[in-house]
């Protein structure tokens, strides 16, 4: 398992993002709401602050993903999932939560609201061509590979 040092500033009074178990890929991130909770009505979205600022190394991104328990139990998810934090971004990490459930949901200060996964990425170098290699699938789109 690789380890990566990432510089981070935590302006909240909550712990840094942390793994729930030894082999977890995602770290739990907490809401930073020092002025009180935020209630999301069904269909409503809000930018929830975290109080976190980080400096990722070149070649890495931070993906923001929903927490499965919040999604299943309450319909709470990340609107632009997965959200991406680029290596050159230095502002506060904000989480765009949306309530797709049937009832109001109160987001409380310190509540674990999402997961954060830090991943390396590859820069694409385009190679313009006149024709692509052939495949069995070709241009078959959604549902093309069957329903079983």
């Amino acid at each position: 398992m690789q380890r990566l040092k990432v510089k981070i500033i935590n302006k909240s009074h909550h712990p840094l993002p942390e793994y729930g178990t030894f082999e977890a890929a995602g770290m739990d991130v907490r809401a930073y709401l020092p002025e009180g909770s935020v209630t999301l009505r069904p269909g409503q979205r809000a930018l929830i602050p975290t109080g976190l600022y980080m400096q990722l190394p070149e070649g890495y991104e931070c993906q923001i993903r929903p927490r499965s328990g919040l999604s299943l139990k309450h319909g709470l998810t990340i609107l632009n999932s997965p959200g991406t934090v680029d290596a050159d971004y230095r502002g506060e990490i904000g989480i765009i939560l949306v309530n797709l459930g049937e009832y109001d949901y109160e987001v409380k200060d310190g509540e674990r609201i999402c997961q954060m996964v830090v991943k390396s990425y590859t820069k694409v170098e385009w190679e313009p061509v006149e024709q692509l290699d052939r495949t069995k699938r070709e241009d078959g789109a959604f549902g093309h590979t069957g329903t079983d």
Side-chain angles (χ1 to χ4, degrees):
M1 179 182 325
Q2 290 182 307
R3 302 251 181 220
L4 178 70
K5 294 245 183 213
V6 175
K7 294 178 180 179
I8 190 165
I9 295 171
N10 184 359
K11 292 188 178 182
S12 81
H13 51 272
H14 304 300
L16 289 174
E18 55 194 350
Y19 298 101
T21 63
F22 178 74
E23 293 191 2
M27 295 173 270
D28 291 329
V29 177
R30 298 175 185 274
Y32 178 49
L33 299 168
E35 296 176 18
S37 62
V38 171
T39 299
L40 293 174
R41 295 183 312 275
Q44 187 178 16
R45 63 187 176 272
L47 182 63
I48 306 295
T50 64
L52 301 173
Y53 303 73
M54 72 172 129
Q55 180 178 326
L56 292 165
E58 183 179 322
Y60 286 85
E61 65 160 330
C62 172
Q63 297 177 358
I64 303 298
R65 302 177 182 180
R67 294 192 69 234
S68 58
L70 286 178
S71 294
L72 178 63
K73 294 174 187 171
H74 306 286
L76 203 67
T77 191
I78 308 299
L79 196 55
N80 62 327
S81 181
T84 298
V85 179
D86 293 309
D88 58 352
Y89 179 68
R90 295 294 185 270
E92 180 178 11
I93 297 170
I95 310 302
I96 305 170
L97 287 182
V98 62
N99 181 357
L100 300 179
E102 300 173 28
Y103 306 102
D104 288 359
Y105 187 86
E106 183 182 5
V107 182
K108 298 181 180 95
D109 182 49
E111 179 177 358
R112 296 176 298 156
I113 56 170
C114 67
Q115 292 188 68
M116 170 187 289
V117 176
V118 176
K119 301 284 293 172
S120 63
Y121 61 86
T122 302
K123 280 286 192 178
V124 170
E125 192 173 298
W126 295 112
E127 180 183 351
V129 295
E130 296 297 321
Q131 185 175 347
L132 302 176
D133 296 342
R134 307 279 318 238
T135 68
K136 183 178 177 184
R137 182 176 180 176
E138 288 299 323
D139 63 351
F142 302 100
H144 179 76
T145 60
T147 57
D148 295 341

